[in-house]
Amino acid sequence: MISAESVVEAMQSILATLIPRFEWALAAAFGSELTPGAPLVAIASNPKFGDYQSNVALPLAKSLAQPPRVVAEQILEHLQVDDLCLPPSIAGPGFINLTLQPTFLASQIQQIQASPRLGIDPVADPQRIVIDFSSPNIAKEMHVGHLRSTIIGDCIARILEFQGHDVLRLNHVGDWGTQFGMLITYLSEAYPTALTTSEALELGDLVAFYKQAKQRFDTDEAFQMRSRQAVVQLQQGDPKATQAWQLLCGQSRREFAKIYDDLEIKLTERGESFYNLLLADVVSDLDKAGLLATDQGAKCVFLEGFINKQGNPQPLIVQKSDGGYNYATTDLAALRHRITQEAAQRIIYVTDAGQANHFAQVFQVAERAGWIPEAVQVVHVPFGLVQGEDGKKLKTRSGETIRLRDLLQEAVAHAQADVKTRVAKENRTESSDFIANISQVIGLGAVKYADLSQNRTSNYVFSYDKMLALQGNTAPYLIYAYVRVQGISRKGNINFADLGEALTLSLEEPSELVLAKHLLQLQEVLNEIATDLLPNRLCQYLFELSQKFNQFYGQCPVLQAADPTRTSRLVLADVTARTLKLGLSLLGINVLERM
RNA sequence: GCGCUCGUAGCUCAGCGGAUAGAGCAGUUGCCUUCUAAGCAAUUGGUCGCAGGUUCGAUCCCUGCCGAGCGCGCCA
C-alpha cells in the first residue's frame, strides 16, 4: 500500500503522487486487470471544480455495467488522499474532484523554498541527448530564418539540461557543399586574395560575392561545371581549396560568435564538413544493405511512401552523378555518428517545418538500413515560418532578407526608447549603463519570448510593435513581476535567504492559495515539455504565474501584514520570484532587479 | 497531382478525448496620500472553416470537402 511518507520524503509532482493512489483505489475496488481508458488524474479543467480531477469513472462505467456515479463512489471508498486533499467530491455525470488542503500546500511551498532547485530533483534516468539546432550557413549572414531554430533549440537544451540530462548542443553549420565550390570558383576569378589572406573580406562582402556567385551558377553552365569540380576537389582534400575554405569559415564564425554571445547561447560547432570522411561509408553500407540503386547516374535509395510528380517512387539521392555527396548523405553520416560515437539515446533536430519531408526520408533510410537501435529516439522538431504582417515570408521593405543582427539591434533600440520615456515620465535619474542593461535584457528577452510563446508548429507573424509591446503576455510583464518582488525586499530590507527554516506558513486568502497551487505545478509542466518539446507551455505557465502573483500583490499587503501572515507572504513572494527567474532562464531570458 | 502543417473572439494566439471553449491586444468602465499603475478589477465580443463518422462524451480522433502556407530528383 502507498504511504504518505513517500510524498514527504522525495519532493515529486502532485500528479505523480496522486496517480498511484488512484491505481491502488481502482485495483482495490475492481481488481487489477481492468484498463482505465483515460488518464487517472489531471489538473482540473476549471478552478471551480477544485485542483485536480479524475474522469476514470466515465469510461469504466460501460465495462463494469454500472452507472458512472456508482463507479465513482466505489473508487472514493478506496481512495486514500486525506494527507493532501480535502474530502473528494463527485460531480456531474461522475467526475471526481480533488482540492488540496491549505496545510499541505503550505508544507510543499516550504519545501520548495528550502530547495535550491525549487524542489525539482534531476531525473532518475539521465539520457545522452543530441540537439541539432541553429545551423547557419558559412558565407552567409544569420537571418530571421535562423532565429527560431536558435531560440527554440537553446530553450529545449536548457530544459533538458536542467532535468539532468547529458545534452550535446550541436551547431550543424553549412560549411560544405555546392555553395563553396561556387564561391571559391567565383572568388578565384573576381577576388583571389580573399582565398589566401585572412580578414581580406568582411562578412558583408562575402554575402555580396555569394549572391553574385549564385547568379553565375544559375545562368552560366560552364561556371556551374567548374563549381561542381571545385566541390569535388574540396571534398577530396585539395590543399588550396581547403585553405580557401578555412578562411571563409573563420570569417563567418567570428560573426556568428557575436550573435551567440549576445543571445547567451552556447553551441558546439560541428559542421557538415566534419562528416566528410564518413560519407563514402554511408553509400557503401547502403549498398551492402541492399538499398542502393543507380538512377540517371546518381546513387540513391528509393523511398517507401514518397511519390514524385510523375507518380513514381521518389529517390533519396546519396551520391550525385558528378560523384559529390549532398545533405542527405551528410545527415545520414551525422545520424550514424551520433548514435555510434556519441552514444545518443535521443536525437533532436530543430529545423523549419519545410524540412519535414527531408527528415522523414533520411530517418526512413536509416531505419531500413538498421542504423537506428530500438532504444534510440530520433525526432524532428519542426517550426513554422516567420512571416511578415502581409502573411508572406518576412523580408525587408526592399525585399531583402532581414539580418538577425539588425533585428536584434532594432529590438534593443525599441526597448531603450520605451525605458527612456518611462524614466523621464517618472522623473527618475538613471545611469546610462542602467538603461543600456535594461534595454538589452528587455529587447532580447522580448524577441525570444515572442518566438517561444507561440506554438512552434504554426507560422508566426513577426511584428516589432507587437513583440516589443510592453504589456500583456510578454517578457517585460514577467520580468516586471520579478522586479516587484525585489522591490518588496528592498523596501523591507528583507534577505529572502534568511527567512529561517522552521517556518510555519499560513495560507488563507484566495489569491495566496491560487498562487501557491500554481507554484507547485512547475515540475509537471517541465516534464510535459521534456516529452512534447513545446516551449510555449512554459511561457504559458510563467505568464499565468505572473498574473497570479500580480493579483496576490494587489490584494495582499506583504510588509504591513502581521506575522505569521507577513512571513508566509514573504515566502510566497520569494518562491514566485525564484520560479520566474528559473523559468525565464530556461527560456534563455534574464531577469532584472530593478527596471 | 502527391505529401506535410494550419483554419478557434475584430486582431495575435492558448487549449493535454471531458463539465458553461480561454488569454493577450484593441474597445468600454472603474482603481495611484498605500511594497513601482510596465499593474489590478469589471465589461463587450464565439456556428471552434464546412459536412459526415467513431465515442457515454469531439475544438481535439477518423473520412470527405473548402481555404491558407510550405515542400516534392542530384541546393541546404
Side-chain angles (χ1 to χ4, degrees), chain A residues 279-301:
Chain A
L279 299 177
D281 284 349
V282 167
V283 176
S284 62
D285 288 350
L286 286 173
D287 198 10
K288 281 179 204 153
L291 296 175
L292 204 66
T294 305
D295 196 67
Q296 296 170 35
K299 291 184 177 161
C300 56
V301 177

Side-chain angles (χ1 to χ4, degrees), chain A residues 83 122 129 166 266 368 391-392 453 458 462 471 484 556:
Chain A
D83 52 324
I129 302 177
D166 177 16
K266 292 198 167 42
R368 284 163 62 195
K392 303 261 161 127
S453 59
S458 45
F462 188 97
Q471 284 162 348
R484 283 185 136 178
C556 299

Side-chain angles (χ1 to χ4, degrees), chain A residues 21-334:
Chain A
R21 309 292 183 97
F22 272 88
E23 280 169 354
W24 192 85
L26 250 63
F30 310 113
S32 50
E33 58 283 337
L34 87 176
T35 45
L40 293 175
V41 211
I43 290 175
S45 60
N46 188 319
K48 75 181 173 192
F49 301 133
D51 301 323
Y52 291 86
Q53 67 180 60
S54 172
N55 306 332
V56 270
L58 286 88
L60 285 179
K62 199 166 191 184
S63 46
L64 294 168
Q66 294 178 50
R69 287 190 72 103
V70 174
V71 174
E73 279 165 24
Q74 288 171 271
I75 295 172
L76 283 195
E77 272 173 37
H78 297 90
L79 185 66
Q80 265 225 338
V81 290
D82 56 348
D83 52 324
L84 59 162
C85 296
L86 299 171
S89 61
I90 300 172
F95 300 110
I96 298 173
N97 291 335
L98 303 173
T99 301
L100 298 171
Q101 290 181 33
T103 51
F104 172 76
L105 280 173
S107 74
Q108 294 292 106
I109 293 292
Q110 215 167 322
Q111 280 191 55
I112 291 177
Q113 205 246 347
S115 154
R117 289 178 54 99
L118 299 177
I120 302 176
D121 292 327
V123 290
D125 52 341
Q127 283 189 308
R128 173 73 167 164
I129 302 177
V130 168
I131 307 182
D132 178 325
F133 70 103
S134 196
S135 307
N137 291 317
I138 297 285
K140 292 196 207 168
E141 305 223 39
M142 286 183 81
H143 55 82
V144 227
H146 301 112
L147 181 68
R148 301 206 78 184
S149 176
T150 305
I151 290 174
I152 293 168
D154 178 57
C155 175
I156 289 172
R158 285 170 187 259
I159 290 170
L160 294 172
E161 282 158 359
F162 177 72
Q163 289 198 314
H165 295 291
D166 177 16
V167 176
L168 179 61
R169 306 155 154 254
L170 288 184
N171 200 5
H172 191 78
V173 298
D175 63 355
W176 211 235
T178 312
Q179 70 216 26
F180 284 95
M182 219 166 75
L183 198 57
I184 290 172
T185 305
Y186 186 79
L187 285 173
S188 66
E189 294 170 7
Y191 200 79
T193 30
L195 299 177
T196 52
T197 318
S198 83
E199 309 202 31
L201 282 179
E202 292 290 313
L203 186 62
D205 303 328
L206 206 51
V207 171
F209 281 125
Y210 180 86
K211 282 182 192 153
Q212 292 160 17
K214 175 87 168 100
Q215 210 200 332
R216 279 288 292 283
F217 186 84
D218 291 340
T219 55
D220 181 342
E221 225 169 279
F223 181 86
Q224 201 179 102
M225 286 285 282
R226 269 178 289 148
S227 296
R228 291 193 193 284
Q229 203 52 47
V231 180
V232 175
Q233 276 175 5
L234 181 61
Q235 294 184 341
Q236 286 168 351
D238 174 75
K240 271 178 77 177
T242 305
Q243 193 206 0
W245 168 76
Q246 277 167 347
L247 286 176
L248 298 176
C249 290
Q251 208 79 300
S252 299
R253 200 169 287 136
R254 282 190 288 277
E255 290 299 316
F256 297 160
K258 289 182 200 164
I259 290 180
Y260 292 132
D261 284 352
D262 278 353
L263 292 175
E264 296 179 54
I265 288 174
K266 292 198 167 42
L267 274 157
T268 301
E269 184 184 315
R270 188 177 289 175
E272 295 169 347
S273 62
F274 178 88
Y275 303 99
N276 187 39
L277 293 175
L278 308 174
L279 299 177
D281 284 349
V282 167
V283 176
S284 62
D285 288 350
L286 286 173
D287 198 10
K288 281 179 204 153
L291 296 175
L292 204 66
T294 305
D295 196 67
Q296 296 170 35
K299 291 184 177 161
C300 56
V301 177
F302 282 98
L303 297 158
E304 293 165 356
F306 290 90
I307 304 296
N308 67 14
K309 287 176 190 168
Q310 288 75 43
N312 301 317
Q314 196 179 314
L316 182 73
I317 293 174
V318 291
Q319 188 166 18
K320 299 184 282 184
S321 50
D322 63 10
Y325 303 104
N326 60 9
Y327 73 132
T329 331
T330 308
D331 278 338
L332 284 166

Side-chain angles (χ1 to χ4, degrees), chain A residues 389-406:
Chain A
E389 304 199 50
D390 56 357
K392 303 261 161 127
K393 204 166 175 173
L394 186 66
K395 299 271 161 134
T396 61
R397 282 189 199 85
S398 55
E400 298 286 301
T401 305
I402 295 174
R403 304 194 313 164
L404 191 49
R405 169 139 299 277
D406 295 341

